[in-house]
Amino acid sequence: MSSATKTRAELQDELEALRKHEARYRALAERNPYGIQEIDASGTIVFANKAHHEMYGYREGELLGRNIVEFLSPGPQRDELPTYLALLKKNQPPPSLYQQKIRTKDGKERHIEVSWDYLLDETRGVRGFISVLTDVTERDRAESELTQYRQHLEELVEQRTRELDGSREALRRSEHLASLGAFAAGIAHEINNPLGLILLATNLARKSIDEPETTRELLRQTELNVQRCARIVHGVLRFAQEQSAEKWALDLNEVIRHTLDFTQQDAKRRGVAMEAHLAAALHPILANSIEIEQVGVNLINNALNACGEANCVTIETSEVDGKVRLVVRDDGCGMTKEQVRHAFAPFYTSRGREGGTGLGLSTVHGIVTDHGGTLAIASKEHEGTTFTIEFPLHNEPEAEWAEDTRR
């Protein structure tokens, strides 16, 4: 039925229904906690709910008829808004969320988040815009404070890092001084062994002055130990110059034979038997003969110190599972579980009263590790100790590792 044929009563009913719908939606808009506004295509406010007025600091009705540009804080957004509205009306891009800064009636700046959409006329042209406004001033302030707090924390961390770097540098200098002391003690430990043997050989030579062959052998032993001292000093100079120890293919048996020469007289003086069971032939290992010699001397001396008269020290070499193995075994006093646990720790010694420095086994461990080897210890109190070292094979052609001539 057309409006022309509708009765007056029907038209009044429809009008009443429209009034009810309008009242209902107006009530929803007025009671909404978010600001709601309608503006025409030029930006003039034609509707603003109660929350919108309160957000801007105005009494109800004071925003109507005013252009939204008036409330924007000075800046590019305010200057460009008329042009922006004209572009929206012409091109109708998809609605989006944006934020604007406004000035309230009392001059305070608020941050407003705007969600908007188009209002279209019968021809689908843009007649205006409807927006939902959210005051995000406190949220932005909190985010700004968090950013400042984070920056402050970062500055504190950087400052603390600089302080820690300074502390680490001071600690490094302190550790360097401590390491110099340890280094000096290590040198004394390494040189003390051959010096003791030189002193022993000298005393025996004086007593055997009428036995030329014995004297000659003792002098040979003295010469070997002097050469060993010279090699240790050379190693110290190399260390001071931060040079890595040179390594070459060598026969472990040959090094152990030299080691036995150094230690036989000491074992004889103590009344300790020494047995050597060296493999008939070994593949070469890549090593420094001076350092491997130190390993052998330290392990044998450690074994001799654990033995009394009638005890025995056994030295064995072999090849097992593609490794060259060195075993130094004694049947002396053995070690407690606590001693085994700390055996390789620098300065740990159970022989402090006898002049032990606690550096012999830590030196052995460092050398073996530097050579890519492994070191194991098995000991039982009153039953003896076994040290087992395994070195990786050196797979260079056999012609390249003839007898070591660099000693």
Side-chain angles (χ1 to χ4, degrees):
M1 181 182 298
S2 67
S3 58
T5 59
K6 288 182 180 180
T7 65
R8 184 181 182 86
E10 288 173 334
L11 290 174
Q12 288 179 337
D13 289 341
E14 289 183 1
L15 184 60
E16 183 62 25
L18 286 173
R19 288 196 186 101
K20 289 181 178 179
H21 281 298
E22 181 183 359
R24 184 182 302 118
Y25 289 118
R26 183 174 291 275
L28 287 173
E30 290 295 344
R31 295 173 184 173
N32 199 297
Y34 296 99
I36 297 176
Q37 73 175 6
E38 178 187 342
I39 61 175
D40 63 19
S42 66
T44 300
I45 299 174
V46 296
F47 171 80
N49 69 348
K50 181 180 178 181
H52 184 5
H53 281 85
E54 291 175 350
M55 191 180 298
Y56 280 47
Y58 288 87
R59 293 194 301 270
E60 289 189 51
E62 289 185 337
L63 294 177
L64 303 181
R66 301 179 65 175
N67 197 288
I68 59 174
V69 174
E70 298 177 37
F71 306 101
L72 294 180
S73 296
Q77 194 177 53
R78 175 172 181 163
D79 298 337
E80 297 170 3
L81 183 62
T83 303
Y84 181 64
L85 290 177
L87 289 173
L88 290 180
K89 182 178 179 181
K90 180 179 180 181
N91 300 323
Q92 297 187 30
S96 60
L97 188 71
Y98 72 96
Q99 190 174 122
Q100 62 186 17
K101 295 179 181 180
I102 62 101
R103 292 285 178 181
T104 61
K105 188 175 182 179
D106 58 5
K108 295 179 180 179
E109 184 175 81
R110 308 295 293 179
H111 296 189
I112 307 299
E113 193 172 73
V114 182
S115 174
W116 62 274
D117 203 350
Y118 297 99
L119 292 174
L120 305 179
D121 57 22
E122 294 80 1
T123 64
R124 301 201 61 78
V126 176
R127 67 175 182 82
F129 307 89
I130 188 167
S131 305
V132 177
L133 313 178
T134 306
D135 189 336
V136 294
T137 306
E138 297 306 319
R139 185 194 72 185
D140 285 358
R141 181 179 292 116
E143 290 178 351
S144 176
E145 290 176 354
L146 283 174
T147 299
Q148 293 176 7
Y149 184 65
R150 183 172 61 252
Q151 291 173 347
H152 179 60
L153 283 179
E154 290 174 353
E155 291 172 358
L156 290 177
V157 169
E158 290 177 0
Q159 178 183 349
R160 184 58 177 159
T161 300
R162 288 192 295 270
E163 292 173 355
L164 288 174
D165 287 341
S167 299
R168 277 195 292 267
E169 178 61 23
L171 180 61
R172 187 195 65 78
R173 289 194 294 268
S174 176
E175 289 176 344
H176 180 65
L177 292 175
S179 67
L180 287 177
F183 185 55
I187 295 171
H189 179 274
E190 293 300 328
I191 293 183
N192 189 56
N193 289 328
L195 288 179
L197 295 174
I198 291 171
L199 181 61
L200 175 63
T202 303
N203 288 334
L204 291 173
R206 283 194 319 182
K207 296 176 182 179
S208 307
I209 196 69
D210 297 328
E211 301 175 22
E213 288 300 322
T214 301
T215 302
R216 187 178 295 108
E217 176 59 24
L218 290 171
L219 289 173
R220 188 184 73 84
Q221 293 287 343
T222 299
E223 181 183 13
L224 290 174
N225 280 293
V226 170
Q227 291 173 351
R228 182 166 169 240
C229 285
R231 288 195 295 272
I232 292 172
V233 171
H234 176 74
V236 171
L237 293 174
R238 186 189 65 243
F239 177 82
Q241 296 169 0
E242 297 185 349
Q243 297 174 359
S244 59
E246 183 183 3
K247 298 179 179 65
W248 54 85
L250 58 81
D251 182 359
L252 179 62
N253 280 343
E254 186 66 22
V255 178
I256 296 303
R257 290 189 187 98
H258 282 278
T259 302
L260 292 172
D261 286 341
F262 295 138
T263 54
Q264 282 285 4
Q265 288 297 327
D266 193 25
K268 186 176 180 180
R269 179 178 61 85
R270 295 168 182 260
V272 178
M274 287 186 66
E275 296 181 2
H277 305 288
L278 307 184
L282 292 174
H283 279 86
I285 62 173
L286 187 66
N288 180 281
S289 60
I290 299 172
E291 293 187 340
I292 300 304
E293 188 179 279
Q294 285 180 264
V295 168
V297 169
N298 280 333
L299 289 182
I300 292 173
N301 282 339
N302 189 76
L304 292 174
N305 289 328
C307 291
E309 291 186 9
N311 285 126
C312 180
V313 175
T314 304
I315 300 94
E316 301 173 354
T317 61
S318 60
E319 274 191 33
V320 180
D321 298 329
K323 306 280 187 180
V324 174
R325 177 179 291 179
L326 169 65
V327 176
V328 178
R329 181 185 300 110
D330 69 74
D331 57 2
C333 62
M335 303 165 69
T336 65
K337 291 182 179 179
E338 180 75 9
Q339 289 171 334
V340 171
R341 187 160 54 247
H342 297 94
F344 303 122
F347 306 109
Y348 179 81
T349 179
S350 59
R351 298 181 53 255
R353 294 181 180 179
E354 292 79 26
T357 63
L359 289 166
L361 292 181
S362 66
T363 299
V364 168
H365 184 270
I367 292 173
V368 171
T369 301
D370 183 59
H371 282 72
T374 59
L375 174 59
I377 179 173
S379 186
K380 192 170 183 180
E381 201 170 4
H382 309 303
E383 294 186 13
T385 301
T386 300
F387 287 93
T388 303
I389 299 175
E390 291 185 347
F391 295 104
L393 300 181
H394 182 55
N395 296 317
E396 291 297 321
E398 189 170 329
E400 295 187 14
W401 72 276
E403 181 178 350
D404 176 17
T405 59
R406 310 184 195 198
R407 300 177 58 80

